[in-house]
């Protein structure tokens, strides 16, 4: 099954999307979108309940934009962005954020790389100055690059090699994407990470980091015009990047075969099944398709009233967990997942057969009006609560705008959810939940003598 963090992240993005849109429709904050003369996009989400702001800068570059043979480079550069500039030596930015009582971090995905700070609102310009400085002023030497390469290699050990479920997901993605770079892990393949150099990092940085390839999202105690003024005083001084080109990645051929794999690991305590389908993202979907997939994933596998949970856990008692998820946020094609973990004495093929039966029933008979209304109501209601978290709202706008959506697309999400019909959900299941579009992975315990020696 997918990691719990992945399932939560998908749910949070959906809720955040709905929340911001719901807010725009009702009495919530007015979202403002600016574009500076150098091409930098600025989104402002006012929230005056506390004198705090979340400042995020998102670059439209991720692991899927790396050159062949350089997997892990986007994430490596994320680490190296903290190594300092001529104006601000390594560690100074973090020291200032800590001294003013703030928080900071960064993240990399297939499609974007982000850096954020949560600070008192009167310190917003301070962090904007630091980010503007390292957007073009990063300085790297082998003395800082090579030790940091060891850091990301150890991170891979912790996140992937020592995590059987993460290894299963990695193998499934590699099998699902035959041609697209989404098939390689964001953190990178170890043998390629070991060869990353200072020149690789600098070349990637100079190619992709610039104001016209970035989105700044500010949520919190700030007015739009004030935020724009600060952005112009900091980011606005930077020259646009002359070599930013439209994203053109290798695309997937039509899927032709059902694929499956088994990963055995001595550390597995409970076997599990995970299946990922190749499906459209919001950007690549036809009108209405992404919203229908969102509703379908909730009907199939979100919560104890979902079809998979009721059928596998409650009615048939063949699983201890079962669910589904859909990630609409991708620049190219995306994934729809189902998963389950068997009860003691039940085999993974039995769990898979039960999952297939639930999906087949939706394809053959569709869904009920009551199911559809319940899911729509819950998605919109959950949105109200998500408004309490300014960072969540900032994350949604950043991820949406770096994967091909617009502010208006975000704001109109509830309209698209409300417009979904039972027939559209049934069609989504019939068209996209074709096993030829999927990879099914079994995670089992390795009980071989060799495994015992390795463990």
């Amino acid at each position: 099954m997918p990691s719990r963090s992945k399932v939560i992240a998908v749910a949070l993005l959906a809720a955040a999307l709905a929340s911001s849109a719901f807010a725009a429709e009702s009495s919530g904050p007015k979202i403002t979108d600016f574009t500076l003369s150098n091409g930098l996009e600025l989104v402002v989400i006012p929230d005056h309940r506390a004198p705090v702001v979340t400042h995020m800068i998102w670059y439209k570059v991720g692991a899927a934009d790396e050159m062949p043979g350089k997997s892990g480079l986007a994430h490596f550069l994320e680490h190296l962005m903290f190594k300092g500039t001529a104006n601000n030596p390594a560690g100074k930015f973090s020291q200032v954020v800590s001294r003013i009582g703030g928080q900071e971090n960064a993240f990399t995905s297939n499609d974007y790389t982000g850096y954020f700070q949560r600070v008192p609102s009167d310190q917003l310009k301070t962090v904007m100055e630091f980010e503007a400085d390292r957007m073009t002023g990063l300085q790297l030497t082998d003395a800082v690059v090579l030790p940091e390469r060891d850091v990301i290699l150890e991170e891979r050990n912790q996140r992937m090699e020592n995590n059987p479920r993460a290894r299963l997901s990695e193998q499934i993605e590699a099998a699902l994407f035959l041609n697209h770079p989404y098939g390689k892990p964001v953190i990178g393949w170890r043998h390629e990470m070991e060869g990353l150099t200072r020149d690789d990092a600098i070349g990637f940085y100079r190619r992709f980091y610039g104001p016209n390839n970035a989105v700044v999202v500010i949520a919190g105690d700030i007015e739009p015009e004030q935020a724009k003024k600060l952005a112009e005083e900091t980011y606005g001084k930077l020259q646009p990047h002359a070599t930013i080109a439209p994203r053109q990645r290798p695309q997937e051929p039509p899927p032709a075969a059902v694929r499956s794999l088994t990963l055995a690991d001595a550390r597995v305590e409970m076997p599990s099944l995970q299946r990922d389908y190749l499906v459209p993202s919001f950007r690549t979907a036809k009108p209405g398709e992404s919203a229908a997939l969102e509703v379908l994933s909730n009907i199939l596998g979100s919560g104890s009233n979902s079809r998979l949970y009721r059928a596998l856990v409650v009615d048939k008692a063949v699983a201890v967990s079962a669910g589904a998820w859909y990630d609409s946020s991708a620049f190219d094609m995306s994934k729809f997942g189902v998963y389950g973990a068997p009860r003691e004495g039940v085999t993974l093929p039995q769990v898979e057969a039960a999952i297939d039966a639930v999906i087949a029933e939706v394809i053959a008979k569709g869904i009920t009006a009551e199911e559809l209304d319940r899911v729509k109501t819950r998605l919109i209601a959950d949105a109200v609560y998500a408004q309490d978290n300014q960072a969540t709202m900032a994350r949604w706008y950043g991820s949406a705008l770096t994967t091909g959506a617009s502010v208006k697309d975000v704001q109109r999400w509830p309209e698209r959810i409300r417009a979904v019909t039972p027939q559209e959900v049934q069609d989504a299941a019939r068209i996209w939940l074709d096993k030829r579009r999927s990879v099914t992975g079994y995670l089992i315990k390795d009980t071989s003598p060799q495994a015992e020696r390795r463990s």
Side-chain angles (χ1 to χ4, degrees), residues 80-126:
L80 295 173
M81 284 289 285
F82 291 86
K83 297 305 178 182
T85 67
N87 297 326
N88 298 294
K92 182 178 178 181
F93 190 176
S94 297
Q95 290 166 5
V96 170
V97 170
S98 178
R99 187 169 66 245
I100 62 179
Q103 302 168 332
E104 64 166 349
N105 214 325
F107 47 85
T108 306
S109 82
N110 276 311
D111 294 312
Y112 50 75
T113 309
Y115 307 84
F116 68 89
Q117 304 83 34
R118 181 174 169 84
V119 297
S121 51
D122 61 359
Q123 297 294 324
L124 175 59
K125 186 175 182 179
T126 299

Side-chain angles (χ1 to χ4, degrees), residues 388-451:
D388 282 336
N389 192 320
Q390 62 180 224
T392 298
M393 295 184 72
R395 279 183 176 273
W396 172 251
Y397 273 94
S399 64
L401 293 173
T402 50
T403 54
S406 68
V407 168
K408 287 185 178 179
D409 289 330
V410 176
Q411 294 173 331
R412 290 172 178 166
W413 187 80
E415 297 175 22
R416 296 194 295 274
I417 292 297
R418 293 189 189 105
V420 173
T421 66
Q423 186 62 53
E424 287 174 327
V425 176
Q426 185 177 8
D427 289 344
R430 176 178 52 81
I431 294 169
W432 299 112
L433 302 192
D434 180 336
K435 288 186 75 171
R436 290 171 297 183
R437 304 190 62 84
S438 73
V439 176
T440 303
Y442 286 4
L443 182 62
I444 64 172
K445 188 175 184 65
D446 188 348
T447 58
S448 66
Q450 295 86 348

